[in-house]
Amino acid sequence: MMTVRTGVGAALVAIAGLATSLAPEWVSAQGVRSLSLEEAIWIAKDNNPAFLATTNDADLAKWQVREAYGRFLPSVTAAGGAQYEYAGVQRFGIFSSADIAAGTTDYLLSSYFLSVDWSIDGNALFQARSARANQRATEARGAAAEFALEATVTLQYLAALRARDAIGVAEGQVARWEQNFELVRARVDAGASLSTHGRQAEVDLGRARVALLRAENLYRTEVARLVEQLGTDLGAPVELVSDFAVFEPGWDRAELIEMATSGHPSVRAARASEASASAQVNRARSSYFPTVSVSAVWSGFTRQVGNQDYVVQLAQSSVDRQRQSCQFDNALLAHLPDLPGLAADDCSRYVLTEQMRQQVLAANETFPLHFTRQPLSLRLNVTLPAFQGFAKQRNIAQTQADRRDALHARRAEELRLRTAVAQSYDDLVTAYGALWIEQRNLEVASGQLELVRRRYALGAAPFLELLDAEDSIEQSERDHLATVYDFHGAIWSLEAAVGRRLRPRDG
């Protein structure tokens, strides 16, 4: 197994032991934050806005399930209130309180109302199953979004590593051109080479420095893109510290395809959505079921006259009317012949006593909790839907179409994953083979450059041969760096297609 170091001070892999510093000096300055790939993924899961917006629906789905099961429970409504009415003439339609000889006094009123209602229909019977299926679909979509976020952060982390390692390559090229420039200038000063050779070496040194500046700028850009994926400002320059191993891929293509089509988060999400769509079909069909509802109502009220003198006056008026009625009856009997069994009544007993006065006042003290209960009300209703203008049929047809759409979406996702796994696997095998070839090319180019330098210093090789050797190793270093990260990118692309980690845990 071959290991590519990606931390600060790591060396670019080369068979001949060629080692080049990969991190710029400002990365290891004081106050730099070390960031591994696992830490980057963890931070992104807590802060990435797009991911959080996707997973934000999980709580809503849970409450939808609770609401669906709550429909099997009765609903309870309780109400109460108090009211004060000032004294005055009140109107009752075309009449007023004065027309019916009602007094004008203030009132204290209070009441309560308690209702228990229970209703069940076909929609409630299937709503719980539909809500549960929707919750599983939401959770599956959240898991798929989480895996997609891991893949996105990983690929961007690799892009930042590649840009950072490109700085090491550019620094090595600058160092070599500085040596070449000194070597060529020494020969020009000695008259062994043309002055144009010195100018050309200076131009190539300037180009190498420009390439280094661009590499440093690209690295800062890629790190900024990585921080964007994390969803938060880390508050300090970032040092990438994760290491990745290069190893020979030994997986079977058919097994990888089977893993992808059976357990990939996006496939599980598609299957959950399909199950949710099927539940919606059953829920739509339940509209043909009858609705049964039961309700019970308890209520009560109080009515207290605010003016106690008014209450006493009413009681006194009632006693006076009784006495007047007694006197009228006695006067009538006096003008009639003597009738057996009839005798004048003692009207003096119709008097409002102090005891009666206290009883009337006590009976008026009802506000706010001495309620007069109303009769219990019970109700049972059974409703059977008959015809609603084909709305139910249209709704069922719509849910069936949605279920077929979910089925096709799931099959399309499985087909996409088959192609993605096959392509990623082939890219990985190709990248692994190309990596060894580019390592050999780098070894040969490095040896060739050292040989040409010695020959040029002795005057045995022309300047153009030195330029060719330098161009060859520069191209070899760039190609080697590209194949290293093509391999790592292919690994992560394959994992994204399969839906699980494949790289050895110690890699």
Side-chain angles (χ1 to χ4, degrees):
M1 180 178 292
M2 175 181 55
T3 302
V4 177
R5 303 291 298 178
T6 57
V8 173
L12 184 63
V13 172
I15 294 179
L18 178 63
T20 306
S21 175
L22 298 181
E25 293 181 358
W26 61 270
V27 171
S28 58
Q30 186 178 5
V32 171
R33 170 163 182 172
S34 298
L35 183 67
S36 67
L37 176 59
E38 295 300 328
E39 289 175 330
I41 293 175
W42 176 75
I43 293 173
K45 289 180 181 179
D46 286 341
N47 298 279
N48 184 276
F51 172 70
L52 294 178
T54 302
T55 57
N56 190 44
D57 298 334
D59 289 340
L60 175 61
K62 291 180 182 178
W63 281 108
Q64 286 175 341
V65 172
R66 295 169 184 170
E67 179 188 13
Y69 283 107
R71 291 195 61 179
F72 292 98
L73 301 175
S75 61
V76 179
T77 302
Q83 182 180 352
Y84 176 78
E85 293 186 4
Y86 285 94
V89 178
Q90 298 184 12
R91 180 177 179 181
F92 307 99
I94 63 174
F95 301 100
S96 68
S97 58
D99 298 329
I100 58 177
T104 57
T105 183
D106 55 341
Y107 291 95
L108 295 171
L109 307 173
S110 64
S111 64
Y112 73 88
F113 176 86
L114 179 64
S115 173
V116 178
D117 300 280
W118 182 81
S119 178
I120 190 69
D121 57 9
N123 184 54
L125 293 175
F126 290 96
Q127 183 179 0
R129 181 180 300 179
S130 175
R132 180 67 69 181
N134 180 67
Q135 181 186 20
R136 288 192 291 266
T138 302
E139 292 173 348
R141 286 192 294 269
E146 180 178 357
F147 188 82
L149 178 65
E150 291 184 13
T152 301
V153 172
T154 298
L155 292 176
Q156 186 55 45
Y157 193 95
L158 286 173
L161 282 179
R162 180 172 183 171
R164 198 274 312 277
D165 291 354
I167 296 177
V169 173
E171 288 177 338
Q173 293 172 358
V174 170
R176 285 197 306 271
W177 272 112
E178 288 175 347
Q179 296 176 8
N180 293 338
F181 177 69
E182 294 297 330
L183 177 61
V184 174
R185 187 171 62 179
R187 286 183 55 81
V188 171
D189 292 342
S193 295
L194 299 176
S195 60
T196 55
H197 294 174
R199 297 191 193 96
Q200 182 62 45
E202 185 177 1
V203 170
D204 290 334
L205 174 59
R207 289 174 177 171
R209 288 171 175 168
V210 170
L212 175 59
L213 291 175
R214 290 175 176 171
E216 291 173 342
N217 179 65
L218 178 61
Y219 175 63
R220 290 190 292 270
T221 300
E222 295 296 349
V223 169
R225 291 173 179 169
L226 175 61
V227 173
E228 179 184 359
Q229 292 298 329
L230 301 185
T232 183
D233 185 8
L234 300 181
V238 174
E239 175 187 354
L240 308 180
V241 296
S242 289
D243 297 337
F244 300 103
V246 176
F247 56 92
E248 182 178 2
W251 303 295
D252 180 73
R253 184 203 302 261
E255 292 179 356
L256 294 177
I257 292 177
E258 176 62 24
M259 284 191 292
T261 55
S262 62
H264 196 285
S266 63
V267 172
R268 292 199 298 268
R271 289 173 180 169
S273 297
E274 184 179 358
S276 177
S278 298
Q280 291 294 335
V281 173
N282 294 331
R283 185 177 176 181
R285 289 172 175 169
S286 68
S287 59
Y288 288 99
F289 291 15
T291 300
V292 179
S293 59
V294 179
S295 66
V297 177
W298 293 265
S299 62
F301 72 95
T302 64
R303 182 174 181 269
Q304 177 177 324
V305 177
N307 188 346
Q308 293 185 349
D309 293 338
Y310 179 74
V311 175
V312 174
Q313 291 175 5
L314 290 179
Q316 182 65 54
S317 298
S318 177
V319 171
D320 291 344
R321 285 194 298 272
Q322 289 178 342
R323 186 173 59 252
Q324 292 173 3
S325 177
C326 176
Q327 293 172 352
F328 177 80
D329 292 341
N330 290 340
L332 183 62
L333 287 175
H335 292 82
L336 293 176
D338 293 337
L339 297 176
L342 293 178
D345 193 4
D346 183 11
C347 297
S348 62
R349 63 189 181 93
Y350 295 105
V351 180
L352 181 65
T353 66
E354 181 62 23
Q355 181 180 2
M356 295 173 60
R357 180 177 179 277
Q358 294 299 327
Q359 290 176 348
V360 170
L361 293 177
N364 183 56
E365 295 293 333
T366 60
F367 184 85
L369 298 178
H370 292 82
F371 295 101
T372 300
R373 294 182 179 179
Q374 298 297 296
L376 174 65
S377 174
L378 299 175
R379 184 176 61 184
L380 170 66
N381 285 334
V382 179
T383 304
L384 182 65
F387 180 71
Q388 297 176 342
F390 303 107
K392 293 191 294 291
Q393 292 83 350
R394 192 270 309 159
N395 190 29
I396 293 174
Q398 179 64 55
T399 56
Q400 288 175 336
D402 293 339
R403 181 177 60 180
R404 289 191 295 269
D405 291 344
L407 170 64
H408 298 325
R410 189 257 304 166
R411 291 185 61 251
E413 181 63 16
E414 291 176 348
L415 293 173
R416 184 192 70 81
L417 290 177
R418 286 178 176 273
T419 303
V421 171
Q423 180 180 353
S424 299
Y425 181 82
D426 291 341
D427 291 343
L428 177 61
V429 172
T430 301
Y432 181 75
L435 177 57
W436 289 102
I437 296 174
E438 291 298 340
Q439 281 192 337
R440 178 58 182 170
N441 291 342
L442 181 59
E443 175 191 10
V444 173
S446 178
Q448 179 69 12
L449 177 60
E450 293 300 322
L451 178 61
V452 171
R453 275 181 175 174
R454 289 195 294 269
R455 293 179 66 241
Y456 179 77
L458 297 174
F463 179 69
L464 290 178
E465 187 174 344
L466 177 62
L467 294 180
D468 290 340
E470 185 64 41
D471 290 341
S472 178
I473 193 171
E474 289 179 2
Q475 186 64 42
S476 297
E477 287 178 339
R478 288 192 293 268
D479 292 343
H480 177 267
L481 181 65
T483 53
V484 167
Y485 283 98
D486 285 346
F487 174 83
H488 292 309
I491 284 284
W492 293 111
S493 295
L494 181 60
E495 290 183 337
V498 174
R500 66 179 64 179
R501 289 291 182 91
L502 301 173
R503 183 184 295 271
R505 288 298 177 180
D506 58 347

